[in-house]
Every structure is written in C-alpha cells, then in structure tokens.
Amino acid sequence: MSSAHDEVKLDLRVTARRDGAEGVIVLELADPSGVDLPEWAPGAHVDVELADGMTRQYSLCGAPSDRSSWRIAVLREPTGRGGSRHVHEALTEGVEVRLRGPRNHFPLVSSPRYVFIAGGIGITPIVPMLRAADAADAGWELHYGGRSRRSMAFLQALEDTSGHRVTPYPQDEVGLIDLHRILGTPQPDTLVYSCGPEPLLRAVEQHCADWPEGTLHLERFNPRDVSEPVLTETFEVELATTGVTLTVPPEKSILEVVEEAGIPVLASCREGICGTCETRVLAGEVDHRDSLMNPSEQATNDAMFICVSRAACPRLLLDL
C-alpha cells in the first residue's frame, strides 16, 4: 500500500470534460504549466478538494503511462452529501482544482489470471487493471453490472476492445451478476478483484469464502459494517515523535484526540476508506475497523487508520 507521506498536492486544470454514461462525467486534469504528473499504478485514487471544505476520493482511470494528465469519472449521486453534485456543476473546462495523491490501497498483484467484478462506477479502478493485465500477458475476464447499459461507463469501449472477455449485466435486461456461476468453484492461480456497491462486495466475499486466502481484493466506496470495539473504555496513545501521551475516550477517535492536541495529521474521509490517515504502529495491539486492509495485512499489526481503528490493549505507541 502506498503511504500518505509520498503524496503531493497539485493544482490542476480541467482540460476536457465529456459524458461517460448516464449520470457520469469523465474529466481530464493536467498541470497548467504542462509538466508531467506523478507516476501512479492501477488501483490508485486521488483526493479532490472541493468547495466548503469537502474532499472526495476518485479512482484514476486513465493510462498510467500517460503522465500528461489524470482521468477521473464521477457519478452524480442525487442523495449524496453534495460532492458529486459540485463536481458535475462546477468543474467545467478551464477550472482549476486542488488534488492530493495519488494513493493506492487497491494495487494489482501479479497473477497468471484474474476475475474482475465491477458494479456501476466501481468500473473506474478496474479499467487500468485490464490494460495492465494485457501488458503482462495475463488471462482475465470482466463481469460488469449496472442499472442499464446507458448507466455503465466505458462499457462500449471495453466491449469494442476486449470482446468475449467482457460480460455485461445490465440489470434491466439480465438481472444481477451471476456470482455463483463465476465464483462457485475456486480456480487455481487466479485473483479476484471487485469494486462496487456494498451489497455486491458482500456477496462477492461470501462466494469467495472457499477460495484460497489472499485471492480476493476489494475496494469499498462506503465503510463496511463492523462489530462493537474490542475495548469500550478509554485507552492511551503515546506519540513517539512528539513525546506526547494522550487519552482516547470511547466517544472519540484517535484522530480527533490527536487533532485536539494540536498535532497535524493528514486526514480526508474519516470513515476508514481513503487511507490518508495511515499511521505506523510501533507497539501495541490494534482493533482494526477500517475498510481497506485485508485480514493478512491487519494481522501484521504494523499500521492502522486512526480515523476509525482503535486499541485492543491499554496503550498504543504510534509513529506520530
């Protein structure tokens, strides 16, 4: 996983804007002076800083080899909190906007074969993965669901270039993705990558329960459901760099307590889905409550996302 410490802040200009599907716009963003943008790999996303302090995360869906611009696709969410509406209404050609990143908590791991499963706008991080799989001569298949063909961004281009390897599931025509057929039998030397709405991801998790550990890779747009905290009482966090020890009460996050102490920390979503506040753990046991790490990553106990994760012991030592 990439670290927030490796990120940059960039003021980029919208150089092109087009309709990507029903309710989806595709934006090309470039440096106004024409310099190359930072490198990135499939699965990366960026923070887009919007009006009134809003920050939203969007996957990069262009070609990593093209350093001249970054591409994002944004679905307008009528019932959302206003971020996508602002993008649709305000980010027209010529407008400048600040981005932070790139950050990658959904990297494409090398494999002889892949099964990609996308739902709706969850296709965005998958698109560059398909190109990377082709470049590596890996086998792959894509199963792509959406409300209708009109709402499925990049579908026509994917069908035109990849033919039989792309299976669309417009819900108004064929119903939901047939996960039992796709995932019912574990396949050797195959990784499963999925991004989309939470009901799809939960179903993919259930169907991959019998696949080998480490097979499934997910990216969530919303926090996963978690159980009650391991500790329901206060705990302490010692900040190794600053030499401060803070007490975290049950009703506050580590991030909130650290910020209240006047210690600057990069943070964005505050829901455990963007990865901005990733912090190195030097000692102690973590109650991982994020939606980013898989079980094996959590078991290493060397990092945590302090906006949601807590202590599973009386005291944590953090690299802050």
Side-chain angles (χ1 to χ4, degrees):
M1 295 189 295
S2 61
S3 168
H5 302 293
D6 301 326
E7 299 172 8
V8 297
K9 284 190 175 182
L10 297 169
D11 293 315
L12 302 185
R13 180 175 295 154
V14 179
T15 56
R17 168 178 165 139
R18 63 179 175 84
D19 291 333
E22 188 175 74
V24 177
I25 58 168
V26 178
L27 301 180
E28 302 282 347
L29 301 134
D31 189 287
S33 63
V35 301
D36 280 352
L37 300 181
E39 294 181 353
W40 61 279
H45 69 265
V46 291
D47 292 344
V48 181
E49 298 183 7
L50 305 172
D52 300 324
M54 290 187 296
T55 301
R56 297 293 183 267
Q57 292 76 43
Y58 299 109
S59 297
L60 294 173
C61 56
S65 59
D66 181 3
R67 300 278 300 279
S68 67
S69 66
W70 284 346
R71 178 184 299 166
I72 61 173
V74 181
L75 170 67
R76 182 164 186 152
E77 302 270 10
T79 59
R81 294 171 293 169
S84 65
R85 182 176 67 249
H86 178 85
V87 172
H88 275 247
E89 295 177 356
L91 296 192
T92 55
E93 286 190 30
V95 169
E96 292 192 11
V97 61
R98 173 159 290 184
L99 279 75
R100 186 170 67 207
R103 188 181 314 121
N104 198 341
H105 292 279
F106 191 45
L108 186 67
V109 178
S110 179
S111 176
R113 188 174 180 277
Y114 301 93
V115 175
F116 296 105
I117 302 171
I121 200 64
I123 191 63
T124 50
I126 302 294
V127 169
M129 291 184 178
L130 304 180
R131 299 192 189 101
D134 276 338
D137 291 324
W140 61 265
E141 60 187 74
L142 168 66
H143 302 271
Y144 178 16
R147 296 188 311 277
S148 67
R149 284 182 172 272
R150 295 188 309 276
S151 70
M152 297 169 68
F154 308 118
L155 177 58
Q156 189 61 59
L158 290 170
E159 289 185 314
D160 289 345
T161 58
S162 302
H164 66 280
R165 291 183 292 178
V166 177
T167 305
Y169 296 79
Q171 192 170 344
D172 61 349
E173 297 177 22
V174 300
L176 300 176
I177 299 175
D178 188 353
L179 295 178
H180 179 72
R181 180 181 65 81
I182 301 164
L183 302 173
T185 302
Q187 301 173 32
D189 299 322
T190 300
L191 296 182
V192 179
Y193 275 77
S194 185
C195 184
E198 187 60 24
L200 171 65
L201 300 187
R202 286 200 302 267
V204 170
E205 285 181 311
Q206 292 167 1
H207 282 85
C208 283
D210 294 330
W211 287 58
E213 183 178 353
T215 292
L216 179 59
H217 299 258
L218 300 176
E219 182 166 68
R220 285 181 154 89
F221 296 139
N222 298 297
R224 63 181 176 88
D225 293 331
V226 292
S227 57
E228 289 298 310
V230 173
L231 292 182
T232 56
E233 61 267 23
T234 61
F235 59 90
E236 291 185 335
V237 290
E238 180 183 350
L239 311 184
T241 302
T242 54
V244 174
T245 297
L246 304 171
T247 299
V248 182
E251 72 276 7
K252 290 186 178 180
S253 68
I254 297 175
L255 175 62
E256 289 172 322
V257 172
V258 169
E259 288 178 329
E260 288 172 1
I263 298 166
V265 181
L266 282 176
S268 182
C269 74
R270 298 175 183 266
E271 295 181 314
I273 58 174
C274 77
T276 310
C277 68
E278 183 178 3
T279 301
R280 198 154 63 99
V281 178
L282 304 178
E285 186 178 352
V286 179
D287 176 12
H288 292 284
R289 307 177 65 76
D290 64 273
S291 301
L292 288 160
M293 290 185 182
N294 61 41
S296 62
E297 290 169 335
Q298 292 179 348
T300 63
N301 213 53
D302 59 1
M304 69 184 298
F305 300 98
I306 61 173
C307 64
V308 291
S309 293
R310 304 183 68 79
C313 62
R315 188 182 184 96
L316 289 174
L317 177 62
L318 303 180
D319 187 18
L320 286 174

